[in-house]
Amino acid sequence: MKVDIGPVTRLEGHLSIHTTVEDNIITDARSVGEMFRGFEVILKGRDPLDAQQITQRICGVCPYAHAIASSYAQENAYNLKVPANGRIMHNLIQGANHLYDYLLQFYQLSALDFIDVTAILQYTGSEPDLVRLRDWVKAELASGKPFPAAPFLPRLSGKYLEDTDLNIGALKHYMESLEVQKKANKASAIFGGKFPHATTIFPGGCTQDPNIDHISSYQSLIRDVKEFIHQKYIPDILAVAAGFPEYWEIGQSKGGFLSFGLLPFGPESDSARLFAPGALLNGSISPVDFEAIKEDVKYSRYSSPSGLKVREGTLTPDPHKASAYSWVKAPRYKGQMVEVGPSARILVDYMQGNNPTIKKLVDKFAGLAGIGAANLNSVLGRHLCRAISAVVIADFVLAETERIDPSAPSMAVYDLPESGEGFGATEASRGALLHYIKVKDYKIDHYECVVPTTWNCSPKDDQDRPGALESALIGTRVETPEEQIESNRIVHSFDPCLACAVH
Ligand code: NFE
């Protein structure tokens, strides 16, 4: 039977999943990006120094990653040396954004796939937030409305966590996390000027001059976020994992992994990073080669040629293309499908032994859960890898604040060259993000973005091989084919952002 789930809720943008189910097993899956945007077309002919501002408008969740990838690409194109303060403030803005995003992804976008909201009806305590939630859910259920207690209910049928105290605790953290996310965003805004679209991230550094007040305010906010990560977020992930151990196996993608590396230690664009870059193909790691990326469009709604390299990319929309089923392109690395995102970031670093803290945390949590590193490629693996990333990033950004020198410059001084080209790569929360810029006559001649959700939610490629999410869905057993709570859990573990994917 054919079952289309669309739009899938609790994600950013418009994604549908078209499945074929035989004997309760998904035998085919199509990841369908439902909209066109065209930022690369908008950028052509504009002032290059607008690029890091315009590309932030691709998304309100991960804008800083776009600004930073654009800045790196322009620094590469203009051959700039960035002062240490500039790079550190980029890291502080981007690091805090990752922390916000991981909490949003778990509590608001994924936790209710596992947590039983109706447990709140059994709450007998006196905490005002929980009393309010209990009374509201009760009144909504008694109201006769067609959809009472939205956005908590209705929900898909399936098994949810059974421990009442755990469920109620997680619901409390769901609400608390909103305040903690606000703190992370305030921290970004101290150096970014505002949230979500920073005004200060610029090729050559940061236009903010840091002072002691900025540093101490940032530290105070991030310490609170860090405490929540350790006290609430990690235990909640482990509680979900203990209740649903089968999800260490469910949702495995069937290709390689790619990470561009995150948070450089030094001011040069090739500085070592807190999370190392690399491509993990057929079990072995190699350095990233941007020239090995090609984007197929056999099943994408574009009439431009298929299989083009990033610097050759073009975008001719063709909404009626007969073979196509998605507005998302299909990027492939050395011809292979790869997953990007938290599991790729951690596995690529772990396999290289780059960051001892990452190795220690992976080994510790894998030991607690009784799994191996290979299980990080799974629904629970993606959630755990975000939590491990959060621990590592919170410590790193706090340490970075100690390295700011308020008396030193934060921006390179330069004249825009008449021409040049460059790549800029970073890790957005959802994975590997690449920007490419070519400048001619002081204008943008060509701009390309290859974006995390484009990799993960790609349609099939020119060889008919599925994208990462499609491959993770195919083979999955679904108890109720018409509803597929299992597919929703898999989709949410990738944390798709379709606004980014189609950009
Ligand atoms: Ni719109 Fe984004 C992240 C980027 S995902 S959220 O993280 O780049 O494609």
Side-chain angles (χ1 to χ4, degrees):
M1 72 193 282
K2 304 260 185 207
V3 179
D4 294 350
I5 305 168
V8 184
T9 56
R10 294 203 178 104
L11 51 77
E12 211 299 312
H14 309 285
L15 174 74
S16 294
I17 300 294
H18 296 181
T19 62
T20 307
V21 183
E22 289 164 26
D23 297 330
N24 290 76
I25 303 289
I26 298 177
T27 55
D28 192 26
R30 288 180 159 200
S31 165
V32 182
E34 302 271 23
M35 62 182 177
F36 172 72
R37 298 185 77 203
F39 269 77
E40 289 145 340
V41 180
I42 292 168
L43 283 157
K44 200 172 165 63
R46 290 183 182 265
D47 188 321
L49 293 175
D50 286 347
Q52 75 286 346
Q53 291 302 323
I54 293 174
T55 54
Q56 285 188 77
R57 271 68 189 176
I58 289 173
C59 184
V61 189
C62 67
Y64 302 139
H66 286 289
I68 283 168
S70 182
S71 296
Y72 290 176
Q74 293 182 68
E75 286 156 11
N76 186 216
Y78 315 154
N79 202 16
L80 298 183
K81 297 276 176 256
V82 180
N85 273 354
R87 179 67 73 234
I88 291 169
M89 282 190 279
H90 284 183
N91 284 348
L92 298 183
I93 297 167
Q94 190 179 17
N97 184 239
H98 272 248
L99 302 181
Y100 144 72
D101 207 342
Y102 298 146
L103 297 178
L104 169 78
Q105 191 279 335
F106 180 66
Y107 286 102
Q108 277 70 47
L109 303 180
S110 289
L112 299 185
D113 291 345
F114 302 99
I115 303 296
D116 181 3
V117 176
T118 64
I120 195 67
L121 296 170
Q122 296 171 52
Y123 182 63
T124 53
S126 57
E127 289 208 35
D129 279 351
L130 293 176
V131 169
R132 220 174 6 250
L133 180 62
R134 178 197 63 200
D135 293 348
W136 174 75
V137 171
K138 209 183 268 179
E140 284 280 303
L141 291 176
S143 69
K145 291 179 183 171
F147 298 109
F152 297 116
L153 299 170
R155 61 183 178 180
L156 299 172
S157 51
K159 181 189 116 177
Y160 290 85
L161 261 189
E162 282 164 9
D163 184 317
T164 306
D165 291 342
L166 271 180
N167 283 315
I168 292 174
L171 286 169
K172 184 168 181 294
H173 303 160
Y174 176 108
M175 290 183 284
E176 283 176 19
S177 82
L178 295 168
E179 291 302 315
V180 181
Q181 289 165 42
K182 212 192 288 180
K183 289 186 181 187
N185 290 339
K186 278 186 179 169
S188 294
I190 288 171
F191 297 105
K194 64 185 190 59
F195 179 87
H197 300 120
T199 50
T200 64
I201 300 172
F202 214 77
C206 191
T207 60
Q208 171 75 285
D209 282 329
N211 61 38
I212 297 298
D213 283 349
H214 295 140
I215 294 170
S216 61
S217 302
Y218 184 94
Q219 288 170 337
S220 156
L221 290 161
I222 295 296
R223 283 194 193 110
D224 287 353
V225 178
K226 179 180 165 181
E227 185 182 328
F228 183 87
I229 289 166
H230 286 264
Q231 305 294 327
K232 318 275 170 75
Y233 177 37
I234 297 265
D236 285 343
I237 297 265
L238 295 177
V240 166
F244 297 86
E246 64 275 22
Y247 279 88
W248 289 116
E249 306 279 344
I250 295 173
Q252 290 186 346
S253 67
K254 318 281 188 313
F257 297 91
L258 180 69
S259 168
F260 290 158
L262 175 64
L263 300 173
F265 289 106
E268 310 300 331
S269 61
D270 58 356
S271 299
R273 295 185 177 193
L274 184 69
F275 295 78
L280 178 54
L281 297 178
N282 307 316
S284 64
I285 291 265
S286 54
V288 174
D289 175 7
F290 300 139
E291 302 295 342
I293 299 170
K294 292 183 180 172
E295 293 193 294
D296 286 354
V297 295
K298 178 176 174 185
Y299 293 100
S300 312
R301 299 189 191 283
Y302 303 102
S303 57
S304 22
S306 195
L308 296 179
K309 288 183 171 189
V310 179
R311 65 173 83 231
E312 307 162 340
T314 58
L315 195 70
T316 311
D318 182 359
H320 307 297
K321 181 169 162 181
S323 64
Y325 63 86
S326 178
W327 286 102
V328 181
K329 292 181 176 179
R332 294 295 184 262
Y333 184 79
K334 294 192 173 167
Q336 295 196 40
M337 180 270 280
V338 292
E339 173 177 338
V340 302
S343 295
R345 194 149 58 234
I346 295 286
L347 279 168
V348 161
D349 193 280
Y350 182 88
M351 296 288 287
Q352 296 177 86
N354 170 62
N355 185 326
T357 312
I358 289 176
K359 175 157 176 26
K360 202 174 84 191
L361 289 170
V362 168
D363 291 343
K364 173 181 159 186
F365 289 122
L368 281 175
I371 54 147
N375 295 98
L376 298 183
N377 175 11
S378 65
V379 167
L380 288 176
R382 292 180 196 102
H383 291 303
L384 178 65
C385 286
R386 283 188 194 90
I388 291 174
S389 302
V391 170
V392 174
I393 290 170
D395 282 339
F396 178 74
V397 292
L398 286 172
E400 280 282 80
T401 58
E402 307 284 349
R403 294 190 269 268
I404 292 185
D405 175 0
S407 64
S410 304
M411 270 294 298
V413 178
Y414 58 96
D415 291 322
L416 186 69
E418 179 271 337
S419 63
E421 66 172 343
F423 285 102
T426 185
E427 286 282 302
S429 320
R430 287 158 197 74
L433 173 64
L434 182 65
H435 281 210
Y436 167 79
I437 190 169
K438 184 175 180 197
V439 177
K440 203 171 134 192
D441 296 333
Y442 300 102
K443 299 282 183 222
I444 297 174
D445 185 55
H446 187 191
Y447 206 99
E448 283 293 320
C449 309
V450 187
V451 182
T453 303
T454 319
W455 289 99
N456 283 341
C457 291
S458 82
K460 295 185 174 64
D461 59 26
D462 288 4
Q463 276 76 48
D464 290 355
R465 293 169 307 189
L469 169 63
E470 292 178 338
S471 78
L473 289 164
I474 294 168
T476 301
R477 180 175 177 80
V478 289
E479 285 307 320
T480 313
E482 301 78 11
E483 294 194 32
Q484 299 188 18
I485 192 171
E486 301 85 353
S487 297
N488 276 265
R489 286 169 173 159
I490 293 169
V491 172
H492 289 157
S493 74
F494 281 93
D495 192 15
C497 173
L498 271 290
C500 276
V502 294
H503 54 276

